[in-house]
Amino acid sequence: MLKEEKRFLRTLAGEPLFPPPLWLMRQAGRYLPEYRATRSKAGSFLDLCFNPDLAIEVTLQPIRRFGFDAAILFSDILVVPYALGQNLWFEEGQGPKLTPLDPARDLGELSLDSFHDRLGPVYETLSGLTRTLPKQTALIGFAGAPWTVASYMIEGGSSRDFATAKLWAYQKPDLFARLIELLVEATSQYLLRQIKQGAEVLQLFDSWAGAWPAAQILEWCFEPVLKIIARVKAEHPKVPIILFPKGIGPSYEVFADCHEVEALSLDSSLPLDWVGRHLKGKAVLQGNLDPLVLVSGGSALEKATTDLLEGMEGSPFIFNLGHGIVPQTPPSHVENLLRFVRG
């Protein structure tokens, strides 16, 4: 099957299709019993990410069960700081932890010298997926956007207000800009290598973009991502890139108005009528079903799905959630969603 025949890629090329192609962020995850069984074999979460055989298996599990139109590489956005030399581990029930960057030591502990060597298992996973995915299923590679990754590196994990990371930007703008530029370079190299290993589409996750006021969204989210796009497109102009700047509200329009941006993934906070007035027709859109509506199921799920399909009718659109699928989601509700969308 030619790549152009994959419905997911046809939509990203600008073709409106009905029913739309469908995949779900975090579709390989704890809501699936087969994922939990594989996860228990791996050891730590990072061990799972860096075991190509197991990472391939968990990537394929939702494809086998549901037949999604796209599979996304099973990995984590924080493998980039790990590959740059920052200490990373995952604690059960708490999520990722990193040794926080110390501005007194500058950025000297970070280096691109062994970057690709440390990411070798991820590239091996991608290469294996190109041989094992169904022919009609597109393969998505991904990375975290520089601001979101930088926030974890500075805070040492997730945060409620990102105060330490934001104060770096306000009080040490030169140092913060150097960190962002390092992440632009590392992320560009990482995504280019993912394409070389078989990724057909890329998604950039800026999960914490909404932590900034509008002016800083432009400086620390929009502009660094445009640099990454330019570097990737210089070598692979036809590989589509999906941006997910979660939580930025009206600033989504700035991304949509930029011709370098091909596709935008929308979070659940955006009203469909606003999307119709400000975003529809400017870029391929993806999203934005509330993950908890999927947990609820039943008439609430059918109504929200109908509203979304009707709101996006006539435009190139990829059905997805407004964020990742949550662990308490019943797999039967995912089956019902696909049946309803495709039926």
Side-chain angles (χ1 to χ4, degrees):
M1 177 177 289
L2 297 174
K3 288 184 178 182
E4 290 74 13
E5 293 177 332
K6 296 183 180 183
R7 302 182 81 255
F8 188 72
L9 299 182
R10 287 168 57 192
T11 295
L12 285 169
E15 183 179 349
L17 296 175
F18 193 87
L22 188 156
W23 72 283
L24 302 178
M25 287 182 276
R26 213 178 291 141
Q27 63 191 19
R30 288 176 289 166
Y31 76 106
L32 290 177
E34 56 266 42
Y35 170 88
R36 296 193 299 270
T38 306
R39 170 74 176 79
S40 67
K41 300 175 185 176
S44 72
F45 178 78
L46 202 57
D47 290 333
L48 178 57
C49 292
F50 285 135
N51 183 317
D53 290 338
L54 296 183
I56 290 169
E57 168 61 20
V58 294
T59 303
L60 291 172
Q61 285 169 352
I63 304 303
R64 294 193 199 107
R65 183 187 274 253
F66 303 116
F68 290 120
D69 293 286
I72 187 166
L73 164 72
F74 186 85
S75 186
D76 192 86
I77 64 171
L78 297 181
V79 298
V80 166
Y82 169 84
L84 288 169
Q86 190 171 13
N87 191 28
L88 167 69
W89 68 99
F90 287 78
E91 292 187 4
E92 289 296 329
Q94 298 186 46
K97 300 289 182 181
L98 303 97
T99 303
L101 293 181
D102 182 353
R105 294 202 304 269
D106 204 0
L107 304 178
E109 65 192 77
L110 304 176
S111 172
L112 284 163
D113 289 347
S114 301
F115 184 73
H116 292 299
D117 290 339
R118 302 191 86 180
L119 291 172
V122 179
Y123 303 141
E124 188 177 339
T125 297
L126 278 164
S127 180
L129 285 168
T130 64
R131 298 189 297 271
T132 52
L133 275 174
K135 299 297 183 184
Q136 72 273 16
T137 309
L139 178 56
I140 306 170
F142 75 93
W147 152 246
T148 288
V149 175
S151 73
Y152 281 99
M153 296 173 77
I154 295 168
E155 301 279 352
S158 188
S159 170
R160 291 184 178 180
D161 57 11
F162 305 96
T164 305
K166 291 171 72 175
L167 285 172
W168 262 48
Y170 288 131
Q171 297 176 344
K172 307 176 181 71
D174 292 342
L175 181 62
F176 188 75
R178 284 169 48 208
L179 175 59
I180 292 294
E181 188 55 41
L182 174 62
L183 289 170
V184 166
E185 178 61 31
T187 305
S188 300
Q189 289 192 27
Y190 182 41
L191 293 174
L192 285 167
R193 187 66 66 91
Q194 289 189 42
I195 295 171
K196 184 178 180 180
Q197 297 302 318
E200 299 169 288
V201 178
L202 301 173
Q203 178 154 317
L204 275 167
F205 289 84
D206 212 349
S207 303
W208 307 129
W212 284 116
Q216 282 70 41
I217 288 173
L218 290 175
E219 183 176 10
W220 300 124
C221 301
F222 182 65
E223 292 176 8
V225 159
L226 289 189
K227 291 179 181 178
I228 293 171
I229 292 174
R231 295 183 191 190
V232 171
K233 293 291 187 178
E235 296 189 31
H236 298 281
K238 294 186 178 180
V239 173
I241 300 176
I242 305 169
L243 304 184
F244 184 35
K246 181 177 177 286
I248 63 171
S251 292
Y252 260 104
E253 194 169 7
V254 177
F255 286 76
D257 285 337
C258 179
H259 71 272
E260 288 93 347
V261 174
E262 296 159 307
L264 283 173
S265 195
L266 312 178
D267 65 71
S268 302
S269 70
L270 293 174
L272 287 176
D273 59 348
W274 186 90
V275 170
R277 292 193 306 272
H278 296 278
L279 303 181
K280 196 174 177 184
K282 295 180 178 180
V284 178
L285 300 179
Q286 173 179 279
N288 65 341
L289 191 75
D290 184 349
L292 291 180
V293 172
L294 186 58
V295 175
S296 173
S299 59
L301 176 60
E302 290 191 6
K303 182 182 186 308
T305 301
T306 299
D307 290 346
L308 186 50
L309 291 172
E310 291 178 352
M312 297 298 181
E313 187 176 4
S315 294
F317 172 60
I318 298 163
F319 199 102
N320 208 313
L321 302 177
H323 199 218
I325 191 168
V326 294
Q328 64 267 40
T329 305
S332 62
H333 291 189
V334 179
E335 293 169 1
N336 292 339
L337 173 66
L338 270 84
R339 208 162 29 236
F340 191 76
V341 171
R342 293 173 173 171

